[in-house]
Amino acid sequence: PAEYASSHHRAFYSVNDQKHKVRPKVQRNMAINAVNCASAMRPGGPVYFASDSQISVEAVKKYSQDNNLSIITFPETEELLHIDKTPDWESRNASDFYPTFVDLLLMANGRCQSYGKGGFGRFAALLSIESSCVVSHHQYSCSNWTAAGETPHVVAKK
């Protein structure tokens, strides 16, 4: 615990059943910005990435492989269920939400948190060992991965 940064990207915040409105390119760019912001807080260290979008997860996996970066994701092939947005949540098995709780646990065990819209990533930060080590990746542009010994490049979005 506390030897990595965590990053959460909520791609489908407030779109409900209209996920098609969130363009894949936007999802990919936001996801990569999210992990870059996490790396700025823990230069050179590994990053755990969580998202409600498989497009975002796959983009981060490719970014990690192409650039030889240490980014870990939950090995899920389907989009995660939202407890607050799943219409039939009461009739589902608790195990259907297992990946969501694993994401929360792993994010909360990270030292620093890059979070976006919604409260899930921020909640994980509040549970973490260093709840003040946070950055909202929706408010900042983190153009590059920060390697060990490098100075982070984080710019406020206009």
Side-chain angles (χ1 to χ4, degrees):
E3 295 299 322
Y4 57 94
S6 300
S7 183
H8 179 255
H9 171 55
R10 177 90 183 251
F12 301 125
Y13 184 75
S14 62
V15 295
N16 297 327
D17 297 328
Q18 300 176 22
K19 292 181 181 182
H20 65 279
K21 289 187 175 183
V22 184
R23 295 186 323 257
K25 183 177 180 179
V26 171
Q27 291 180 52
R28 288 189 291 270
N29 290 343
M30 292 295 293
I32 290 170
N33 187 64
V35 295
N36 285 344
C37 284
S39 78
M41 294 182 293
R42 298 285 291 168
V47 170
Y48 180 76
F49 177 74
S51 180
D52 60 346
S53 161
Q54 276 306 109
I55 291 171
S56 296
V57 171
E58 292 303 319
V60 165
K61 285 180 182 178
K62 182 173 179 0
Y63 181 64
S64 175
Q65 292 168 353
D66 290 352
N67 296 286
N68 197 29
L69 305 174
S70 184
I71 303 173
I72 297 94
T73 62
F74 188 81
E76 184 66 39
T77 57
E78 296 180 24
E79 289 178 354
L80 302 184
L81 296 173
H82 287 258
I83 296 170
D84 62 333
K85 302 290 183 192
T86 303
D88 60 343
W89 68 272
E90 292 174 316
S91 64
R92 289 184 172 268
N93 291 320
S95 61
D96 292 346
F97 298 96
Y98 175 72
T100 303
F101 289 105
V102 169
D103 277 346
L104 181 62
L105 175 68
L106 290 172
M107 288 189 308
N109 274 301
R111 179 164 301 273
C112 299
Q113 178 72 38
S114 164
Y115 65 91
K117 294 178 181 177
F120 193 66
R122 184 71 180 133
F123 182 48
L126 291 171
L127 296 173
S128 74
I129 192 168
E130 197 170 325
S131 61
S132 63
C133 187
V134 297
V135 64
S136 172
H137 61 77
H138 279 277
Q139 295 176 352
Y140 292 91
S141 176
C142 305
S143 58
N144 297 309
W145 179 268
T146 306
E150 290 182 347
T151 302
H153 183 71
V154 178
V155 178
K157 292 182 180 178
K158 295 180 181 187

